[in-house]
Amino acid sequence: MLFSEAMSTGFFNLAPLVVLFPGIGLLFNMVFGGRLPEKVVGWVASLAVGAAFVISILLAVSLSAIHGHAEIVSVTEWMSIGSLHLDWAFRVDTLSVAMMLMVSGVGTLIHIYAIGYMHEDVRFKGDPTRFQRFFVFMNLFIAMMMILVSGDNYLMLFVGWEGVGLCSFLLIGFWYDLDILGRPSLENAKAANKAFIANRIGDFGFLIASFLIFTYLGSLQFDLVFAEVEHVAQPVILTITLFMLLGVVGKSAQIPLFVWLPDAMAGPTPVSALIHAATMVTAGVYLVARSAPLYGTVPAAQEIVALIGAVTALFAATIAVAQYDIKRVLAYSTISQLGFMVAAVGMGAYAAGMFHLVMHAFFKALLFLSAGSVILGIERGYHAMSHGKKGHGFHHTDDEVFNPNDMRNMGGLKDRMPVTFWVYLAGTLALAGIPPFAGFWSKDEILLDASLHYPVVYWLLTAAAFMTAFYMGRQVWLVFFGKSRHEAAEKAEESPRIITAPLVILAGLSVLGGVLNLPHFHTLGHWLEYTLGELRISEFSWLMAGQATLIALFAIFLAWLLYGRREQAANEPDALKKLLGPAFVVFEHMYWIDEGYAAVFINRYKDLARFLAEVIDGRFWHDWLHDSVLAAGFGKLARFLADPVDLGLIDGIANGLADLTQWVASRLRRFQNGFVRSYALSVLLGVVLILGYLLFR
Amino acid sequence: MTTPVKLLDFITILPVIFLAAWACLLLLVDLWVKHKRVTAYLAALGLAIGLGLLWYQAAWIGNAGFNHMVVLDGFSVFVNALLLLSGLLGIALAYGYLRRMGIERGEFYPLVLFSLSGMMLMAQAADLIVVFLSLEFLSIPLYVLTAFAYPKAASEEAGLKYFLLGAFAGGFVVYGIALVYGAAATTALDGIIAAVAEGRANLSLLVSGAALILVGLGFKVAIVPFHMWTPDAYQGAPSAVTAFMSSAAKLAGFAALVRIFALAFSSLSDDLIPILWGLSALTMLVGNLLAIPQTNIKRMLAYSSIAHAGYILMAFTAFGNPGVAEVSIAAVLFYLAAYTVTNYGAWGVVILLERAGDLGLEIGGYAGLGRKYPALAACMTIFMLSLIGLPPTLGLVGKFYLFRAVIAADLIPLAVIGVLTSLISAWYYLRVVVNMYMRTGDPEISPEPWALTITGLMAILTVLVSLLPGWLFFLASQARLNLF
């Protein structure tokens, strides 16, 4: 009785706990973590996120008990300035709860994995004290992400948005002073800066959009904003949505701001999995879904979003086929898959987009974490190898080029790391869209919707899907099959259970996740309809599904032809390179986008900064205006005045306001002479002045 | 038309009565108590019970007692709650300090309680006679407390100066009350309102009386030019006393000022605005300018407290404007709360660094604190930022509300002076921060658990409440003035 009552009402009041629990975890670890063993620190952090997951489940249960009506849990008044009234309020509806479940669920698994991963990583890099810091940042991230998805107004969303951006920066630059082998290097810090700055551009767009929303729609609270939409002119909404889109392309790494995400892989692998694959980067998708009432009224904005997503999906997929770094392939794959989601929500297929978001969280987290396991295995092998050679230490100077992330150094890991291999295969099939794996169902739904409404998007996405299957096939063959191409790979070892256990769970989700939204049932779609209103849900088509499957299978077959049939030798150029020639080089170098940005924007910006600093500030302001005109002129004036006018006065002015105030102060100070009689006199003087004023005014 | 005394009359001032009685009791108990810290805990217990009684009393909000001599309204409850908390903080800071300075004498705590009960009565006073009575009731214990470090000459001198000048200023209050009585034939606030409304009052006499009362209360809250006692008294008094005095006495003084002027003298607003304008501008300027050359942190904080009285007075300048009065009173209350928190924190740091024989009080002595005690230095930085009014601290939020009230009253030049003097204040506050972080030195602290706790707590509050100030401002704006 009590429980059922609580289910329908009481649990909603627990909503703030989804932020509070990770907050407590981070405070605890921040204060006590330094003195506690690693295990405790890691488990406290994991439990904090796990507790948030339990709360999310309770919220979901109680939400379905009241048929998905949005519930708003207000904690306190936040600010009230003029006509701006904002509460610190949590919005519990089907969309936010779906995100909460995904964030805390996947987050818990990644936290547990990180206990094992970071244990080895901090030792490999030679600074075990950073273990605690890592989990503090991770809990902070979860708290911020929860604020992002559960806030009831755009400003709270923005707080979370900036908060996760900060965590991303902190964690990309986690080894800010070391490179991948623990040698001094500033590359990671640069990658962190790049991510932060690219996101600034996006955040600028989001902020402008928020300002416009407040100006034209009169509030920042979701319900009030959406109720106002129809009373506002179309061009205004279009402007708002386009500025918001700038935020989306920044956070979700779409063209043209995607350049930060590949470099963000500098962070430890759990970070790549959690922040740069499963959760934070999907915030842009969430933002569009959340703002569906805004986008729904301007088809032009929707089309732009869909096109950007589709083009990004294909563009990033082409780059992914030519990468050697195991995490970089996954990074471009993430950009590409985010493109799928953005295209889906842009087309108005919110159910499909959110479905793919959740599925992608499962299998991409799995892939990243397995890649981390592979890297750890290689590092262990490398360690063993150098140990054998030198008997101590593993920081080579003669082996500068070794990169544990490079797939050219791998090969044949199938037998050395069997668990990792099998889960990686599950993730690969899910990502490639092979039925009945999770990715098949969600990707199929996006493609189906696109084929019915946006043919151009459909063709772009289909091409991207083909590429996806190909680069994943290439990766599996390069990493796991054939012979080891480096001694380190030969000596690689399987990871401990604390690392493989979360992998197995995620693999299970990647295999079976599709049941969440099977054709005909559309569980997730109908669940989201409570929040987003009537959704367009396309019925399953055998033709489309068959077509997509065949394309994926053909791509995998191609990958086998190139990489599986005949073994790659250690120093041989890539098989695809032989086939594609210059095109491969273009892909490999990411279309020279980084260089192009550097030439067009960054170097121009630096030129401008240098111009401002050297010419305007240095030569014009300092040398000419300040020194020649002001200082020299003043000098002349002073010399001129020095003869006729008292020197002390000139000094006073020349030394500026600072001395003047000090002088006034010291004059005033004289009255403070310590005698009661003069103090009383001052009081009396005040009385006389006041009464005199009253008398003579 | 007097009515006989009822039980309800006592309920309206229950915490005051209780506190005074508890203090008397404490004086007796203290004779048999060997360890003076027992007295301290008993005094704190009394304050806690006082808070409980205040909570209980809140059910009777809206009653006047003793023939309208005192009232119980939202305003008085808010102020009294702040006063009681302020007393608790004061005792916590004094707890270890007194022992360390060798002046741990039992009468300290009853004196604080006596003074507090006077202050609380002042916040409830609805009759000028009660205002004067409570003014003396709160002042005399403060004089004694100022000289509490006897036989230290500086402390005795400070106490005597404070007493002489306080008596002098008290004379003006009495004279002002007499003039008001001459003008309106009553000293009751509601009587004055009625007399003005019915045209019976002699307005020029009334305004002179109001001006003299302003002088007396202005002395208590340290308005220039009635401020000259402040630096000497603040420096000479034991630091724990100064912390209490600068927070609580200011609170009580402003509470009385707000009540008397916003209610009884609101019709005189047009006559008084230029005076208040001038006084607040002068206070802000002189307080901030004179703080600059100070090298002693206690003296610097004394001038800082003068400057802050100026800011509060600035928001109150337009008290007679009905559209603004409510906002400005809420802003004043909010700022008083914010100042209490920040001020106690800053004094907590001063107390931790002070050593017997007036050592450790030079601002130069703070050099190296950031390296040696980073947490304490961070706290002090927060307090200094808050006193300047920079984010993310309560000082910023408080100043925001103050300036909003001033701008709403259309007193733009005054707001400009306020902003400019805030800017000047950054100079001497940041000098403390610069000393702590950018100079090398080897400061010593006395790690007293209570003072450390209070300092840390105030730092957390200063930042935290500034992020979520809504509830406090809501409370402040609910604290309505009434006479019933």
Side-chain angles (χ1 to χ4, degrees), chain A residues 440-454:
Chain A
F440 164 74
W441 302 105
S442 55
K443 198 180 282 183
D444 182 63
E445 221 171 288
I446 296 177
L447 289 174
L448 180 64
D449 195 276
S451 73
L452 295 175
H453 303 279
Y454 293 87

Side-chain angles (χ1 to χ4, degrees), chain A residues 251-310:
Chain A
K251 189 98 353 196
S252 288
Q254 301 292 294
I255 291 175
L257 291 180
F258 67 96
V259 287
W260 65 272
L261 189 57
D263 289 17
M265 298 305 141
T269 302
V271 174
S272 308
L274 179 63
I275 302 186
H276 304 118
T279 56
M280 183 189 83
V281 287
T282 60
V285 181
Y286 169 76
L287 179 61
V288 178
R290 177 53 83 198
S291 312
L294 291 177
Y295 282 92
T297 50
V298 274
Q302 284 192 309
E303 274 167 32
I304 295 173
V305 176
L307 266 180
I308 286 187

Side-chain angles (χ1 to χ4, degrees), chain B residues 13-227:
Chain B
I13 55 165
L14 189 57
V16 179
I17 299 175
F18 168 78
L19 220 56
W22 188 266
C24 293
L25 217 63
L26 213 56
L27 274 179
L28 281 179
V29 170
D30 183 59
L31 292 177
W32 283 279
V33 165
K34 198 163 154 222
H35 295 291
K36 296 307 165 195
R37 72 196 87 147
V38 177
T39 319
Y41 281 115
L42 283 176
L45 177 69
L47 292 176
I49 296 174
L51 272 173
L53 290 176
L54 200 65
W55 179 261
Y56 164 78
Q57 195 194 25
W60 277 274
I61 284 183
N63 277 300
F66 299 103
N67 293 306
H68 282 247
M69 298 277 254
V70 290
V71 289
L72 175 61
D73 55 7
F75 179 82
S76 73
V77 171
F78 185 92
V79 173
N80 283 355
L82 262 184
L83 282 171
L84 285 168
L85 289 173
S86 162
L88 277 173
L89 295 174
I91 288 178
L93 286 188
Y95 181 75
Y97 175 83
L98 294 180
R99 189 171 338 148
R100 177 149 50 89
M101 294 296 147
I103 50 171
E104 192 184 30
R105 308 185 184 112
E107 62 268 31
F108 180 88
Y109 302 104
L111 282 171
V112 169
L113 296 197
F114 279 130
S115 180
L116 265 177
S117 49
M119 294 170 185
M120 288 167 68
L121 187 62
M122 187 126 140
Q124 292 189 279
D127 189 299
L128 293 178
I129 295 298
V130 180
V131 170
F132 182 68
L133 180 79
S134 50
L135 181 67
E136 292 303 308
F137 190 15
L138 80 88
S139 298
I140 292 167
L142 280 185
Y143 302 148
V144 181
L145 284 172
T146 307
F148 201 75
Y150 69 89
K152 206 174 94 182
S155 174
E156 287 180 340
E157 182 192 328
L160 189 63
K161 271 185 191 165
Y162 190 20
F163 166 63
L164 288 173
L165 290 166
F168 186 56
F172 286 108
V173 178
V174 182
Y175 195 22
I177 293 173
L179 287 181
V180 170
Y181 187 74
T186 177
T187 54
L189 298 187
D190 50 358
I192 297 169
I193 297 171
V196 172
E198 293 160 19
R200 289 189 276 117
N202 178 337
L203 283 181
S204 54
L205 259 190
L206 192 64
V207 84
S208 311
L212 289 182
I213 292 174
L214 177 66
V215 170
L217 292 174
F219 172 85
K220 197 88 278 180
V221 298
I223 299 288
V224 177
F226 321 117
H227 69 287

Side-chain angles (χ1 to χ4, degrees), chain B residues 300-325:
Chain B
M300 189 274 266
L301 284 175
Y303 282 107
S304 140
S305 109
I306 295 172
H308 283 279
Y311 293 122
I312 298 172
L313 193 65
M314 169 187 78
F316 187 61
T317 300
F319 67 93
N321 184 338
V324 184

Side-chain angles (χ1 to χ4, degrees), chain B residues 149-383:
Chain B
Y150 69 89
K152 206 174 94 182
S155 174
E156 287 180 340
E157 182 192 328
L160 189 63
K161 271 185 191 165
Y162 190 20
F163 166 63
L164 288 173
L165 290 166
F168 186 56
F172 286 108
V173 178
V174 182
Y175 195 22
I177 293 173
L179 287 181
V180 170
Y181 187 74
T186 177
T187 54
L189 298 187
D190 50 358
I192 297 169
I193 297 171
V196 172
E198 293 160 19
R200 289 189 276 117
N202 178 337
L203 283 181
S204 54
L205 259 190
L206 192 64
V207 84
S208 311
L212 289 182
I213 292 174
L214 177 66
V215 170
L217 292 174
F219 172 85
K220 197 88 278 180
V221 298
I223 299 288
V224 177
F226 321 117
H227 69 287
M228 305 210 46
W229 61 276
T230 316
D232 292 12
Y234 278 21
Q235 190 182 6
S239 298
V241 174
T242 317
F244 173 68
M245 188 156 69
S246 58
S247 307
K250 190 155 279 179
L251 245 165
F254 269 111
L257 204 62
V258 166
R259 183 184 296 282
I260 299 171
F261 279 76
L263 290 176
F265 298 149
S266 66
S267 53
L268 306 175
S269 168
D270 287 344
D271 299 316
L272 291 174
I273 276 185
I275 295 175
L276 288 171
W277 199 107
L279 287 180
S280 69
L282 196 63
T283 309
M284 289 187 285
L285 279 169
V286 170
N288 281 314
L289 282 178
L290 278 182
I292 293 171
Q294 306 306 331
T295 54
N296 181 295
I297 187 107
K298 285 175 83 173
R299 246 184 133 70
M300 189 274 266
L301 284 175
Y303 282 107
S304 140
S305 109
I306 295 172
H308 283 279
Y311 293 122
I312 298 172
L313 193 65
M314 169 187 78
F316 187 61
T317 300
F319 67 93
N321 184 338
V324 184
E326 212 161 281
V327 186
S328 103
I329 291 171
V332 167
L333 286 182
F334 186 94
Y335 200 79
L336 283 169
Y339 181 69
T340 302
V341 169
T342 309
N343 193 43
Y344 267 115
W347 280 102
V349 178
V350 172
I351 282 173
L352 285 167
L353 267 109
E354 183 176 347
R355 279 166 292 142
D358 284 342
L359 292 172
L361 290 172
E362 291 302 303
I363 294 175
Y366 282 59
L369 196 68
R371 189 149 301 237
K372 199 166 172 196
Y373 302 102
L376 193 65
C379 290
M380 192 59 170
T381 308
I382 290 172
F383 301 134

